[in-house]
Amino acid sequence: LAKTTQPISMDSYEGQEVNITCSHNNIATNDYITWYQQFPSQGPRFIIQGYKTKVTNEVASLFIPADRKSSTLSLPRVSLSDTAVYYCLVGSNTGGFKTIFGAGTRLFVKA
Amino acid sequence: DSGVTQTPKHLITATGQRVTLRCSPRSGDLSVYWYQQSLDQGLQFLIQYYNGEERAKGNILERFSAQQFPDLHSELNLSSLELGDSALYFCASSVRLNSPLHFGNGTRLTVT
């Protein structure tokens, strides 16, 4: 099971683009990369998932380099409501699937 | 709304007691996951079921047990409760083992 490393916290201002990088040096061939957002006292919410290169949806983009040892979640033009904890997860369905959350990155968006 | 329903929302009980938390997954989702989140702590994976069978186990205490029923709803049983078991308990579901998880709003357990 690949272990992930993320910054503990980040600060940003409204309207800026925020990039949160996650390191997963031991990622396996079958592993996917998934990002979640969590507000206090709420369950995490799925943001985006990818395997390689770039994935984009209506709320974020996910950049994965060729070696897949890291990934970057990009949030365009953040607002105060994007203040939350962001988790990067790596996992697959081989050898028993466990979805292990790390400590996450606390993003604080200021006005 | 994620489509995952957890009941009850809040539960207050005394040490030594036993409680049951219930989770109804999203329609069509076969896999159910249970997580524990203590105050200002990360999400601790407890256990996962897929189509009625236990698929993966995390750091779940022996005092805790779970099952997934034929209609795919799941229950997490917590017994001999201790003060340290006070936490938010989340259930999540996914359609396949590698699919994104969809979380419920959690059950807040307070042990006094």
Side-chain angles (χ1 to χ4, degrees), chain B residues 74-85:
Chain B
S74 178
E75 292 181 356
L76 178 66
N77 300 298
L78 315 175
S79 61
S80 303
L81 284 168
E82 302 174 359
L83 296 178
D85 298 326

Side-chain angles (χ1 to χ4, degrees), chain A residues 97, chain B residues 31-33 45-50 53-56 97:
Chain A
F97 182 66
Chain B
S31 197
V32 169
Y33 307 72
F45 170 72
L46 296 178
I47 199 164
Q48 177 204 358
Y49 284 85
Y50 180 78
E53 294 187 4
E54 182 183 304
R55 182 67 186 225
L97 291 173

Side-chain angles (χ1 to χ4, degrees), chain B residues 88-106:
Chain B
L88 264 170
Y89 291 83
F90 289 107
C91 169
S93 71
S94 67
V95 61
R96 291 180 298 276
L97 291 173
N98 215 15
S99 301
L101 304 186
H102 298 272
F103 283 79
N105 288 326

Side-chain angles (χ1 to χ4, degrees), chain B residues 3-7 22-27 32 72-74 91 93:
Chain B
V4 177
T5 304
Q6 289 188 248
T7 56
R22 182 186 169 99
C23 170
S24 294
R26 288 191 323 163
S27 177
V32 169
L72 301 178
H73 91 271
S74 178
C91 169
S93 71

Side-chain angles (χ1 to χ4, degrees), chain A residues 32 36 38 41-44 46 49 87 91-93 97-101, chain B residues 33 35 37 43 45 48 55-57 88 90 97-98 100-101 103-104 108:
Chain A
Y32 280 76
Y36 294 85
Q38 186 182 27
S41 298
Q42 294 186 24
F46 167 76
Q49 183 180 64
Y87 296 97
S92 72
N93 60 357
F97 182 66
K98 296 183 184 181
T99 304
I100 308 296
F101 283 76
Chain B
Y33 307 72
Y35 289 86
Q37 188 170 40
L43 287 146
F45 170 72
Q48 177 204 358
R55 182 67 186 225
K57 218 169 196 177
L88 264 170
F90 289 107
L97 291 173
N98 215 15
L101 304 186
F103 283 79
R108 183 175 293 279

Side-chain angles (χ1 to χ4, degrees), chain A residues 47-65:
Chain A
I47 302 174
I48 197 165
Q49 183 180 64
Y51 182 79
K52 61 180 179 180
T53 63
K54 177 184 175 183
V55 179
T56 298
N57 62 23
E58 63 277 7
V59 298
S61 294
L62 178 59
F63 298 92
I64 306 169

